[in-house]
């Protein structure tokens, strides 16, 4: 199957659509969480216990055990059911490559006579003599959940299954799901949703009121909440049970709302709701699989790690003041795919006719232009101070400044710092309108001219015949996926050469690509082969994933926010390539080779990569490590940008004697605007 796929092109700053053979399947498989789920022993064990319990209850009633497994994946849960004594299992999997792998796995483990793989969406499955299922099931097993519980369409699938595919009064594994929430104040998390005022050289850059009034984007913010230090938020109330869904009964996908009342435990600003869910695998609730963050555990290190199910952060439509002892009502609403929260004082009477809070929808456009990490980046005062300090060094009273970055406040800063004229290239009308709001509220709309023009199409007449004396960029581009995709700024600089003064200042003056070999605490699981899982041979899945990883695109680095995934540096970090923005992009490729000697013992899973931007000779902004590596190798990463991760095909044991190293080879190809790389572990 040949498919048109979007690939980021740093030389143009856009997505190029190219035709790839089986690309969609390979990319989906290579970047999937199948391995992560199979390495989740806590999840597997709890499912197995729940399945054995359900099979025993059905057998105790003297009934034949017929299982429907929706979203079977590898077929693991169906094989558990067959092993537990199920008479027959119907395993439904809509993704064709996965269904084929499941077929191989079932056959390899000797269950072909007990398990039928159905390569369909469950809502297309038929029951009857000529149907996919000969009879309705009396045990329903599913793994249809995402971080938000219902975001993968669990409710419609359950609703259809109860109406068409399972018997009334069936057993279900899991039996129920329960959603929990906690109201908190957090400057860190709130900075991901609202633009904060900034102090710039004695003046205050105000945020547009429309942004402050906006309820924000409706999509959930899913993160590894265990990596958010409890010191960065203040709980305003207890952990609340919001609602439960009983999967053994008819399930509705229609709109519902649920409320919990509580007394505020401390005063503060109600801003954010932290949420997670638990699965009860049996009716008694004695087998529980919890998604709670590690800091809720008496011993945080005992919390199971998962990347396929994380925790959720929800931003309230507006922050409000809360006093200790206030009686409050937290309400959660959900449709068939998403959840949203609202807060009301308990004394406030809600009229019977009043509609429940609608799903949040961005009305200011800023939440459509800026991602949540981007909001955090724009609100990073230390980062802004670096750009302000650098701008002060290059701006003069007669400076004509041009900014090239998407949705950036750099042109606003340049005007506030005294540039004679400031132009800014915006990549879209929506981005332009958001920056116009910033200019309007600060009464400086005439000070910055926003141009919706590509750099290679900009002419002298667009600039009023003026030459550019200062070219600035963060750089940030919304199409960038990997750290070096921001090198689009270099291509922009080259396209603008004819409009620059001979003595023009370029900020940043250069950028460098940095690498460090690392041992991941947990992230390695997403790429590690499984072999045997809970006693079942799943090597056909390993082979399928490896085939996809061997595909061209999937052999490259992949983006990950490493602040969410602790790792330990096994080598020194090193700058491996430098890009001089004061010069145009060269015509010939740039290559770099070298090695990173191991200085710490451990298990090397791969290499972390990031960019650093050198605004001036002594001012650098890092999109990766934000401080020195500790003596033990601990790393602190920027929360604003994703870093690149290149996984070694096979992890390697490292020693601290420097006798072995990670050898690297990089080639920057100007024609593609991309960087090709290769890593090998070699003796020194």
């Amino acid at each position: 199957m040949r498919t048109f796929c979007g690939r980021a092109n740093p030389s143009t700053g856009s997505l190029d659509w190219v035709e790839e053979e089986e690309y969609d399947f390979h990319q989906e498989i290579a970047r999937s969480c199948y391995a992560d789920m199979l390495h989740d022993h806590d999840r597997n064990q709890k499912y197995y216990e729940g399945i054995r319990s359900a099979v025993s209850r059905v057998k105790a009633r003297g009934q034949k055990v017929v299982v429907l497994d929706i979203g079977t994946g590898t077929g693991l849960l169906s094989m558990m059911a067959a092993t537990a004594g199920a008479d027959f299992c119907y395993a439904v999997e809509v993704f064709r490559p996965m269904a084929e792998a499941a077929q191989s796995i079932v056959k390899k483990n000797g269950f072909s006579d007990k398990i039928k793989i159905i390569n369909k969406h469950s809502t297309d499955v038929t029951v009857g003599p000529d149907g996919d299922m000969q009879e309705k099931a009396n045990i329903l097993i599913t793994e249809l959940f995402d971080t938000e519980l219902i975001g993968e369409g669990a409710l419609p699938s359950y609703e259809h299954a109860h109406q068409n595919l399972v018997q009334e009064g069936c057993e279900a594994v899991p039996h129920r799901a329960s959603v929990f929430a906690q109201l908190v104040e957090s400057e860190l998390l709130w900075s991901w949703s609202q633009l904060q005022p900034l102090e710039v050289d004695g003046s205050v850059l105000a945020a547009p009121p429309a942004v402050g009034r906006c309820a924000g984007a409706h999509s959930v913010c899913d993160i590894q909440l265990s990596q958010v230090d409890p010191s960065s938020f203040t709980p305003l109330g207890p952990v609340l049970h919001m609602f439960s869904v009983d999967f053994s009964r008819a399930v509705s996908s229609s709109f519902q709302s649920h409320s919990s009342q509580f007394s505020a435990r401390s005063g503060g600003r109600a801003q954010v709701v932290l949420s997670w869910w638990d699965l009860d695998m049996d009716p008694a609730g004695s087998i529980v699989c919890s998604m709670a963050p590690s800091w809720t555990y008496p011993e945080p290190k005992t919390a199971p790690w998962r990347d396929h199910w994380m925790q959720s952060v929800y931003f309230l439509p507006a922050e409000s003041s809360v006093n200790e002892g206030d009686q409050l009502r937290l309400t959660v609403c959900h449709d068939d795919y998403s959840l949203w929260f609202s807060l009301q004082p308990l004394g406030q009477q809600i009229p019977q006719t009043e509609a429940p809070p609608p799903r949040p929808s961005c009305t200011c456009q800023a939440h459509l232009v800026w991602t949540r990490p981007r909001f955090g980046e724009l609100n990073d005062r230390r980062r802004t101070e670096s750009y302000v300090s650098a701008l002060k060094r290059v701006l003069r009273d007669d400076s004509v400044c041009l900014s090239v970055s998407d949705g950036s406040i750099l042109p606003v800063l340049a005007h506030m710092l005294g540039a004679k004229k400031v132009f800014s290239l915006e990549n879209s009308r929506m981005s332009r309108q958001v920056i116009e709001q910033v200019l309007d509220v600060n009464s400086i709309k005439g000070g910055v001219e926003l141009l919706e023009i590509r750099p290679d199409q900009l002419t002298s007449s667009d600039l009023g015949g003026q030459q550019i004396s200062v070219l600035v960029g963060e750089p940030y581009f919304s199409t960038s996926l990997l750290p070096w995709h921001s090198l689009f700024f270099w291509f922009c600089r080259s396209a603008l050469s004819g409009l620059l003064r001979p003595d023009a200042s370029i900020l940043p003056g250069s950028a460098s690509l940095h690498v460090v070999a690392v041992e991941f605490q947990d992230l390695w699981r997403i790429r590690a082969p499984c072999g045997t899982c809970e006693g079942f041979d799943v090597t056909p899945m390993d082979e399928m994933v490896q085939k996809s990883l061997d595909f061209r695109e999937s052999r490259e680095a992949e983006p990950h926010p490493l602040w969410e995934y602790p790792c330990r540096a096994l080598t020194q970090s090193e700058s491996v390539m430098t890009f001089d923005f004061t010069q145009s992009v060269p015509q010939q490729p740039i290559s770099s080779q070298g090695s990173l000697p191991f200085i710490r013992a451990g298990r090397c899973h791969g290499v972390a990569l990031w960019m650093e931007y050198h605004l001036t000779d002594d001012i650098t902004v890092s999109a990766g490590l934000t401080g020195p590596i500790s003596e033990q190798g601990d790393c602190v990463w920027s929360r604003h940008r994703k870093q690149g991760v290149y996984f070694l095909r096979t992890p390697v044991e490292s020693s601290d004697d420097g006798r072995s190293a990670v050898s690297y080879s990089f080639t920057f190809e100007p024609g593609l605007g991309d960087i090709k790389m290769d890593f090998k572990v070699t003796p020194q």
Side-chain angles (χ1 to χ4, degrees), residues 498-617:
L499 302 175
L500 299 176
R501 291 183 185 175
D503 60 347
S505 298
I506 313 295
L507 190 156
S510 64
S512 51
L513 176 64
H514 293 247
V515 301
V516 63
V518 297
E519 174 185 49
F520 285 110
Q521 180 175 303
D522 296 296
L523 189 63
W524 59 271
R525 302 173 196 269
I526 70 172
R527 294 291 167 264
C530 298
T532 300
C533 179
E534 309 303 325
F536 301 101
D537 186 343
V538 295
T539 52
M541 190 212 69
D542 293 337
E543 294 164 359
M544 177 187 71
V545 172
Q546 190 58 58
K547 178 182 177 182
S548 291
L549 287 170
D550 287 339
F551 193 67
R552 175 178 55 80
E553 171 73 7
S554 304
R555 287 199 305 268
E556 300 174 357
E558 54 193 78
H560 289 284
L562 291 185
W563 73 269
E564 295 186 57
Y565 305 106
C567 62
R568 192 167 66 94
L570 301 179
T571 67
Q572 300 282 9
S573 63
E574 185 170 312
S575 172
V576 295
M577 298 190 88
T578 299
F579 311 95
D580 184 0
F581 295 160
T582 65
Q583 304 296 319
S584 293
V585 177
Q587 298 296 313
Q588 300 301 316
I590 303 173
S591 298
S592 173
Q593 294 84 33
S595 62
L596 303 167
F598 287 116
I599 59 172
R600 296 181 184 89
R603 188 171 177 80
C604 182
H605 296 112
V607 176
L609 307 98
W610 68 97
M611 296 291 286
E612 295 189 0
Y613 303 102
H614 310 291
L615 309 184
T616 65
D617 291 340

Side-chain angles (χ1 to χ4, degrees), residues 28 99 160 204 234 236 240 247 263 288 299 304 306 392 404 411 488 516 526 547 644-645 648:
E28 176 75 13
H160 176 271
V204 175
T234 302
L236 302 181
L240 303 170
F247 297 127
S263 176
V288 181
E299 295 292 334
R306 317 182 158 90
K392 284 182 177 179
V404 182
F488 176 53
V516 63
I526 70 172
K547 178 182 177 182
V645 176
L648 297 178

Side-chain angles (χ1 to χ4, degrees), residues 135-334:
E135 58 188 314
K136 289 186 176 183
N138 52 15
I139 295 183
L140 175 59
I141 301 173
T142 60
E143 209 283 47
L144 299 171
F145 315 115
D146 67 348
T147 292
E148 202 173 14
L149 181 65
I150 63 174
E152 290 186 358
L155 295 182
S157 295
Y158 272 112
E159 186 174 43
H160 176 271
H162 276 285
Q163 292 172 354
N164 301 279
L165 305 177
V166 299
Q167 301 172 20
E168 185 176 353
C170 74
E171 300 287 345
V173 182
H175 180 80
R176 78 175 64 84
S178 298
V179 173
F180 299 89
Q182 185 171 37
L183 178 69
V184 305
E185 173 186 356
S186 174
E187 182 179 354
L188 168 65
L189 299 178
W190 192 242
S191 73
W192 297 353
S193 178
Q194 293 293 333
L195 188 64
Q196 308 296 327
L198 289 173
E199 186 173 337
V200 181
D201 203 30
S203 301
V204 175
L205 179 64
V211 179
R213 293 192 301 265
C214 182
H218 72 269
S219 59
V220 65
C221 177
D222 54 340
I223 62 172
Q224 291 283 357
L225 203 50
S226 296
Q227 298 308 313
V228 177
D229 194 294
S231 65
S232 64
F233 62 86
T234 302
L236 302 181
V239 174
L240 303 170
H241 173 261
M242 298 305 299
F243 70 93
S244 294
V245 181
D246 186 339
F247 297 127
S248 69
R249 301 178 180 179
V251 173
S252 173
S253 62
S254 62
F255 172 91
Q256 294 185 32
S257 65
H258 310 269
S259 295
S260 289
Q261 301 174 4
F262 66 99
S263 176
R265 292 183 173 179
S266 62
R269 293 174 298 159
Q271 300 170 322
V272 174
V273 175
L274 311 180
S275 182
W276 56 89
W277 45 269
D278 288 354
L279 295 176
D280 290 333
M281 296 298 182
D282 65 327
S286 61
I287 308 167
V288 181
C289 185
S290 177
M291 306 314 125
S294 63
W295 36 259
T296 65
Y297 284 67
E299 295 292 334
K301 290 185 178 179
T302 65
W305 182 87
R306 317 182 158 90
D307 200 45
H308 53 105
W309 297 330
M310 295 187 279
Q311 295 79 36
S312 302
V313 174
Y314 296 92
F315 303 97
L316 292 176
E319 66 176 344
S320 58
S321 295
V322 170
N323 296 314
E324 184 177 355
D326 283 355
Q327 300 302 302
L328 304 170
R329 178 192 295 111
L330 186 65
T331 298
V332 60
C333 301
H334 73 78

Side-chain angles (χ1 to χ4, degrees), residues 393-409:
R393 297 191 189 182
V394 298
L395 291 176
R396 300 180 178 84
D397 293 342
D398 62 347
S399 292
V400 176
C401 180
L402 175 65
S403 173
V404 182
S405 278
D406 292 348
S408 176
I409 61 171

Side-chain angles (χ1 to χ4, degrees), residues 454-481:
R454 291 183 55 83
D456 56 352
Q457 297 173 342
L458 189 69
T459 65
S460 179
S461 61
D462 296 318
L463 303 175
Q466 303 176 89
Q467 284 190 302
I468 302 164
S469 58
V470 179
L471 177 65
V472 301
E474 299 186 37
Y476 172 84
F477 303 102
S478 58
T479 55
S480 296
L481 302 177

